Amino acid sequence: MLAKKYRSRIISIKNPFKGIYTIEFESLKRPFKYQPGQFLHLALDADYDGSEQWPESRCFSLQSNPTNKTLTITYAVKGTFTQEMEKQLKPEMELWLKLPYGDLFQQDHNKTNTVFIAGGTGITPFLSLFTHETFREYINPKIYLGFKSIDFNIYKQELNHITNPTASIYDFYEDTDGHIKLDQIIKQTGTDVDFFISGPPAMIFSFKEILIKKGVHRNNILTDDWE
C-alpha cells in the first residue's frame, strides 16, 4: 500500500494530562487507507499545497483502526516538533498527513499465545489491531500494559472494544505495582512465542535485551521502534 497525502481537518483535541494530546482527524477528500500497526507523517507547514516536496514532518502511530472513517493519534510533548504541535494545532485546523508507513503486524509471526507489551502511549499502535476484526485471528493473546498510575490509563474505552474474546489483559501501575515484570510474563507465556513491544525507545531496547537473555529468539521479538 503506497503512502498518499491527505488534506485533513482536526475534529477534536483532547488533553487528559499535561503534555499528552489525543487528536482526531477527518480526510477532506479520499478516505484514509491503512492497516493496523502502521503510522503516519504529520506536517505543520501552513504554506504547503500538496504538490511540492514533502515538508518537515514527524511520525505518529495510528491509534484508530482502518474501519473508522476518522483517524486518531496520541502524542506526548517531548521535542521541538511536538512543542510546535501543542502551540499550533486547534480544532477545525486543516493540515497534511501522509500515510501509511510500517508493517508491524504484517510481518510473519505466530498468532497463538502472542504477547503484546506496551508502556504508556506505546499502546496506541496495538489499539489499532485490538479493535480491528483481524485481531480475532489470534488465539489466546496476552496483553501487558504499563502506566504511571491508573489515572494515566486513558484507553479503557477502547480496551473495552477488543474484538478477541480470548485475549487476557494485565495492567501494571508504577505507583502501586512497579514496572512491567518480564520474569513474571515469561513464567506465564514461556519463551517460544512471539513478543510485540511498543513504548519509549529505552524501554524497547532494554526489554528486547532482557528477553533475548531469557532465551527468546531475537526473530520472535517485533518492535514498534521507528522513532
Side-chain angles (χ1 to χ4, degrees):
M1 191 180 298
L2 294 176
K4 297 181 179 180
K5 302 169 187 175
Y6 295 84
R7 185 66 175 172
S8 306
R9 177 185 293 115
I10 296 175
I11 296 175
S12 67
I13 301 177
K14 297 178 182 178
N15 180 207
F17 296 99
K18 180 177 174 59
I20 300 290
Y21 294 88
T22 297
I23 307 179
E24 184 179 8
F25 303 91
E26 65 176 352
S27 176
L28 296 179
K29 291 186 178 181
R30 65 167 76 94
F32 295 119
K33 289 187 178 181
Y34 59 95
Q35 297 183 64
Q38 294 193 294
F39 61 91
L40 58 75
H41 281 258
L42 181 151
L44 290 175
D45 189 345
D47 297 325
Y48 181 68
D49 64 3
S51 62
E52 302 171 358
Q53 182 176 351
W54 184 248
E56 181 184 2
S57 61
R58 188 172 183 268
C59 304
F60 297 95
S61 295
L62 292 159
Q63 179 174 335
S64 47
N65 81 59
T67 62
N68 294 355
K69 291 183 179 180
T70 60
L71 181 155
T72 304
I73 65 170
T74 293
Y75 77 95
V77 180
K78 292 181 178 179
T80 302
F81 195 91
T82 50
Q83 289 172 2
E84 285 301 311
M85 288 175 62
E86 184 178 38
K87 293 176 184 177
Q88 295 185 32
L89 300 188
K90 308 292 180 185
E92 299 302 320
M93 178 178 173
E94 295 183 10
L95 44 65
W96 286 92
L97 306 176
K98 191 175 182 182
L99 65 136
Y101 294 93
D103 61 353
L104 183 61
F105 300 124
Q106 287 72 56
Q107 302 173 71
D108 288 337
H109 62 280
N110 187 349
K111 295 184 179 180
T112 300
N113 298 318
T114 314
V115 178
F116 300 86
I117 304 174
T121 58
I123 188 179
T124 54
F126 291 172
L127 290 173
S128 69
L129 173 67
F130 295 165
T131 59
H132 191 254
E133 60 184 12
T134 54
F135 193 45
R136 297 192 185 100
E137 299 171 3
Y138 291 77
I139 301 171
N140 299 320
K142 294 175 176 59
I143 303 166
Y144 299 87
L145 307 175
F147 301 99
K148 290 182 179 179
S149 70
I150 194 169
D151 292 333
F152 278 81
N153 185 355
I154 58 175
Y155 309 98
K156 295 176 183 177
Q157 182 175 353
E158 286 154 296
L159 290 169
N160 285 335
H161 290 88
I162 286 180
T163 60
N164 191 323
T166 71
S168 300
I169 303 177
Y170 305 89
D171 297 325
F172 292 82
Y173 299 109
E174 288 182 27
D175 60 342
T176 57
D177 308 312
H179 294 285
I180 294 175
K181 300 174 178 62
L182 288 181
D183 285 343
Q184 179 179 327
I185 292 175
I186 290 175
K187 285 181 180 178
Q188 292 177 320
T189 67
T191 57
D192 192 23
V193 296
D194 282 350
F195 290 79
F196 283 92
I197 307 174
S198 180
M203 170 193 153
I204 292 175
F205 177 81
S206 173
F207 279 24
K208 187 173 183 177
E209 292 300 304
I210 293 171
L211 289 173
I212 291 172
K213 289 180 181 178
K214 294 290 184 180
V216 179
H217 195 283
R218 64 176 61 251
N219 290 342
N220 291 356
I221 305 172
L222 301 97
T223 59
D224 186 53
D225 56 358
W226 41 259
E227 291 186 300

